[in-house]
Amino acid sequence: VLALLAFSPLALVETLFSEEPVPFMVFGYNFLGSLILLVLSCCLVDLIDLGKGVVLLGRADPDKRSPWTQFFFLSAKRNLTQTKAGLALFTYVLMLAVTLTLSYGTPELQEVEIFIDRLPDCMDGYRVLFISDVHAGPLVGRAEITRLVAQANQIDPDAVFLGGDFADGPVRNIGGIVSPFGDLTAPDGVYYVVGNHEYLHGGSGPEWMARFAELGVTPLYNTHARVAESANCTGIDVLGVDDLSQNASVAGAMIGRDLDRVAVLLAHQPSVSRESVDLGVDLQISGHTHGGQIWPMHALSLPLNTHFAGLARDGDSWVYVSTGAFGWGPRTRLGCRNNIDLLVLRASPAESAPELSVAPSIVWGWFSFPFVIVTLGLCVACGPNRRRNAKLHASAY
């Protein structure tokens, strides 16, 4: 870890002259992320060991053990530490392989139908492709974005919405990396809102909006655009707001629009719904959460957002949250995967929509709470009395 920290300034300098991820940065970020998996592996093994102790409690007589118990706990008296270390290492390697496969795989296309009763019949079946949380910069380069754009164009949507957190750095350093987004094509255009990361690492939202405008993308900053409007169709209004950490204003985006038209809001952070629902937005589309990205970190991000993943009903509005095209920081993912989202709008009452299923990331989030509570509780309860507990544990055999 110290070596990574010592050489990281050199890698940061190298990223200024490269449009592809620097191997040292890729290794460093993912190594640090894998430490979360290592801690998780050790916790899981300790919980299994605790369960073993509970099973064997009061069964000190070996003759009372079943053959299965004797086999499974063969190392109960000897090499216990080595067995636990080996099991923890195996679990760590297995989880690391799974997470890196999920993290560097092609984003999975999630197709969702959204029923909006005010939607004009001429808009029934309208297909919107939503992409968020690309995080171009140290770990996501031009080549990967080029493949993402090619994948998006093959879907052939009616419109493309870009939901923020598209860059980790200022335009002067990494503006070239996002150039492939200029090749996105859709009959009704490509629209973009900024996220909180456009304001980090020396960047700013306005300069990134200007950069995407150069690429032919329409930036929306607390304003709206009339989309898919023609002589035979009223179309919809697409609203876009600044990031919630800055100057997001749904009310500002509503100024001057016809309230009889369907309003679709692009807002990077789901918690903008606290304002959008009250103002009668029909559909809000967001990213930001990454679906927790690395379990059990879901326990931290789930309570901080009004909506976390997938489609949900909020009052008379719909809110859809994508888990994002790529990860941030360490690319490791556990309990979610890379996604881009095809939203199909339906001109039908919301009541006619199929029953909503709970997004897998939310289920993972629910399980993260008891895991964290039990793990922290055991650390507090067992830590100060480790030696005494070890003796009691040994006596169970």
Side-chain angles (χ1 to χ4, degrees), residues 354-378:
E355 184 177 354
L356 294 177
S357 59
V358 180
S361 293
I362 296 178
V363 177
W364 280 89
W366 289 342
F367 280 106
S368 68
F369 290 108
F371 175 81
V372 171
I373 292 172
V374 170
T375 301
L376 292 178
L378 290 175

Side-chain angles (χ1 to χ4, degrees), residues 125-146:
Y126 193 79
R127 301 164 74 246
V128 171
L129 181 65
F130 182 66
I131 304 173
S132 72
D133 298 279
V134 171
H135 292 282
L139 298 185
V140 177
R142 182 168 182 152
E144 196 163 13
I145 291 175
T146 299

Side-chain angles (χ1 to χ4, degrees), residues 252-272:
M254 301 277 279
I255 294 175
R257 64 173 295 268
D258 183 352
L259 298 182
D260 291 331
R261 293 165 59 88
V262 167
V264 176
L265 171 67
L266 305 183
H268 177 66
Q269 297 198 37
S271 294
V272 171

Side-chain angles (χ1 to χ4, degrees), residues 14-38:
E14 188 175 350
T15 60
L16 301 179
F17 306 98
S18 174
E19 292 188 346
E20 297 302 328
V22 177
F24 182 85
M25 294 289 285
V26 173
F27 172 78
Y29 270 106
N30 289 326
F31 173 76
L32 293 176
S34 74
L35 295 181
I36 298 176
L37 301 178
L38 181 59

Side-chain angles (χ1 to χ4, degrees), residues 8-240:
S8 59
L10 298 178
L12 285 171
V13 171
E14 188 175 350
T15 60
L16 301 179
F17 306 98
S18 174
E19 292 188 346
E20 297 302 328
V22 177
F24 182 85
M25 294 289 285
V26 173
F27 172 78
Y29 270 106
N30 289 326
F31 173 76
L32 293 176
S34 74
L35 295 181
I36 298 176
L37 301 178
L38 181 59
V39 172
L40 176 59
S41 301
C42 293
C43 290
L44 289 173
V45 170
D46 278 339
L47 288 176
I48 293 173
D49 189 42
L50 176 67
K52 179 179 69 174
V54 172
V55 170
L56 296 181
L57 190 64
R59 302 177 66 178
D61 187 353
D63 295 334
K64 296 181 180 180
R65 300 182 190 172
S66 66
W68 164 249
T69 304
Q70 294 185 50
F71 172 77
F72 188 75
F73 301 123
L74 182 63
S75 60
K77 287 186 177 181
R78 65 179 185 274
N79 299 330
L80 179 60
T81 301
Q82 293 91 327
T83 301
K84 289 175 62 177
L87 183 58
L89 180 61
F90 172 79
T91 305
Y92 165 69
V93 172
L94 179 63
M95 287 197 299
L96 185 60
V98 170
T99 58
L100 291 178
T101 299
L102 293 175
S103 303
Y104 283 91
T106 300
E108 180 180 342
L109 180 65
Q110 293 285 340
E111 184 171 343
V112 180
E113 289 188 323
I114 303 177
F115 291 72
I116 303 174
D117 53 3
R118 300 200 308 137
L119 190 72
D121 291 339
C122 58
M123 295 292 291
D124 185 60
Y126 193 79
R127 301 164 74 246
V128 171
L129 181 65
F130 182 66
I131 304 173
S132 72
D133 298 279
V134 171
H135 292 282
L139 298 185
V140 177
R142 182 168 182 152
E144 196 163 13
I145 291 175
T146 299
R147 291 193 294 270
L148 176 64
V149 169
Q151 179 187 4
N153 286 337
Q154 287 179 353
I155 297 167
D156 192 26
D158 296 304
V160 177
F161 297 160
L162 308 180
D165 273 12
F166 268 62
D168 283 322
V171 171
R172 63 181 179 275
N173 292 346
I174 61 173
I177 297 178
V178 302
S179 295
F181 285 115
D183 297 326
L184 280 171
T185 58
D188 293 325
V190 182
Y191 301 85
Y192 166 71
V193 295
V194 297
N196 57 307
H197 275 253
E198 274 87 346
Y199 288 94
L200 302 178
H201 316 294
S204 74
E207 71 172 2
W208 277 110
M209 285 188 288
R211 173 57 182 150
F212 274 87
E214 292 174 355
L215 299 175
V217 175
T218 302
L220 297 174
Y221 182 86
N222 296 336
T223 188
H224 67 273
R226 299 167 75 94
V227 175
E229 186 177 39
S230 67
N232 301 318
C233 188
T234 57
I236 59 176
D237 285 347
V238 177
L239 290 66

